[in-house]
Amino acid sequence: MTMDQLAFPPDSRPHWLTTAYDVAIRTLTRERRWRRALLHQIAPQPKDRIADIGCGTGSQAILLKRECPLASVYALDPNPDLLVRAEAKAARKGAGVHFMHVMPDEIGIRLASIRPGKIVSSLAFHQVPMEGKRRLIDAMFESLPSGGQIHIADYGWQRTSAMRIGFRMVQSLDGGTNTQPHADGCIPVLLEQGRFVRVVETAVIPTVTGSISLYRGVKP
Ligand SMILES: C[S@@+](CC[C@H](N)C(=O)[O-])C[C@H]1O[C@@H](n2cnc3c(N)ncnc32)[C@H](O)[C@@H]1O
């Protein structure tokens, strides 16, 4: 397994997108709508240990921690620049999230030590090559206990021509190879292949950049 297959190519990201990351997500993805829906789906509880994979600037992890301050929230990302922003943002908002710099090939080991009961990932999978998506789901499955939950928000099956046209904006930034499987509905298939059960697409939220779907699965 090479780094290319797991892929995290930070240097290929446009600089403006990293610096203006939060603004881009807010304006282009109807962020408030899907983040709150994801928050309610996860329904954080005081004893929960929650891991956010590919946390970026930490928005979802911070939301979770603020909603349930007694939950333990661990937020992992391979991009140190985004983690610096995430830590500053969490400090401003008084959210005690544990941020961790973790490269894709180390995620399994880190998850094993975190021992999460719930795992979340938002808008990260569409940037990852197919083999890396499978490896991530595998690592998540292995680290969860029986009954543990996976929650994903990401670009999903683009059902209409308007959605497919909007999604081209994401594809022009992130490339077609890693993103097209999402437009074709790969996430629930990958979750079931990854042995998760009760896999459901719980919401489809149209945005100008294509539709964002929420998914949930459970480890039997
Ligand atoms: C579009 S951002 C989403 C960030 C955040 N989850 C959010 O909802 O705003 C994608 C994130 O995935 C991370 N990422 C990319 N490839 C990854 C991989 N193979 N494993 C884990 N994270 C990855 C990037 O560093 C980036 O922070």
Side-chain angles (χ1 to χ4, degrees):
M1 175 68 47
T2 65
M3 281 303 290
D4 266 6
Q5 286 168 293
L6 297 169
F8 164 62
D11 294 336
S12 68
R13 312 292 309 157
H15 180 67
W16 66 265
L17 195 57
T18 302
T19 49
Y21 178 81
D22 281 359
V23 178
I25 294 287
R26 194 179 315 132
T27 45
L28 297 176
T29 76
R30 295 177 76 194
E31 180 184 27
R32 191 178 154 74
R33 169 97 189 270
W34 64 261
R35 280 212 197 280
R36 294 219 65 89
L38 183 60
L39 173 69
H40 289 132
Q41 179 173 308
I42 297 166
Q45 303 297 311
K47 288 190 176 160
D48 276 349
R49 300 172 68 80
I50 305 172
D52 180 356
I53 305 300
C55 67
T57 59
S59 300
Q60 195 69 42
I62 291 168
L63 207 55
L64 284 161
K65 186 69 184 175
R66 290 184 58 152
E67 176 79 6
C68 184
L70 292 180
S72 301
V73 180
Y74 300 83
L76 286 54
D77 202 279
N79 186 327
D81 296 340
L82 293 179
L83 284 172
V84 168
R85 286 164 202 278
E87 279 168 350
K89 191 158 77 180
R92 273 198 314 277
K93 293 180 182 260
V97 174
H98 307 282
F99 288 102
M100 299 176 168
H101 179 233
V102 182
M103 296 310 285
D105 56 346
E106 305 163 342
I107 287 174
I109 288 175
R110 298 305 281 269
L111 280 177
S113 64
I114 293 168
R115 290 180 292 107
K118 296 175 180 175
I119 297 178
V120 57
S121 186
S122 53
L123 301 189
F125 269 95
H126 74 273
Q127 294 187 348
V128 179
M130 275 308 267
E131 189 49 32
K133 296 186 213 288
R134 289 198 187 91
R135 295 275 294 231
L136 259 185
I137 288 171
D138 226 40
M140 293 168 169
F141 185 89
E142 291 302 332
S143 71
L144 285 167
S146 173
Q149 302 168 12
I150 183 168
H151 300 271
I152 294 176
D154 211 324
Y155 292 97
W157 175 30
Q158 304 299 313
R159 292 162 161 79
T160 66
S161 52
M163 289 174 178
R164 286 191 291 277
I165 289 167
F167 190 53
R168 284 188 200 149
M169 200 187 308
V170 176
Q171 298 196 289
S172 70
L173 283 171
D174 291 320
T177 311
N178 303 339
T179 57
Q180 188 57 39
H182 285 248
D184 299 334
C186 75
I187 288 290
V189 176
L190 289 172
L191 288 176
E192 282 173 353
Q193 287 173 350
R195 295 168 286 160
F196 283 98
V197 297
R198 286 155 52 199
V199 173
V200 185
E201 184 183 49
T202 58
V204 178
I205 298 166
T207 82
V208 290
T209 52
S211 60
I212 291 176
S213 290
L214 268 55
Y215 303 96
R216 181 178 54 219
V218 177
K219 178 166 172 173

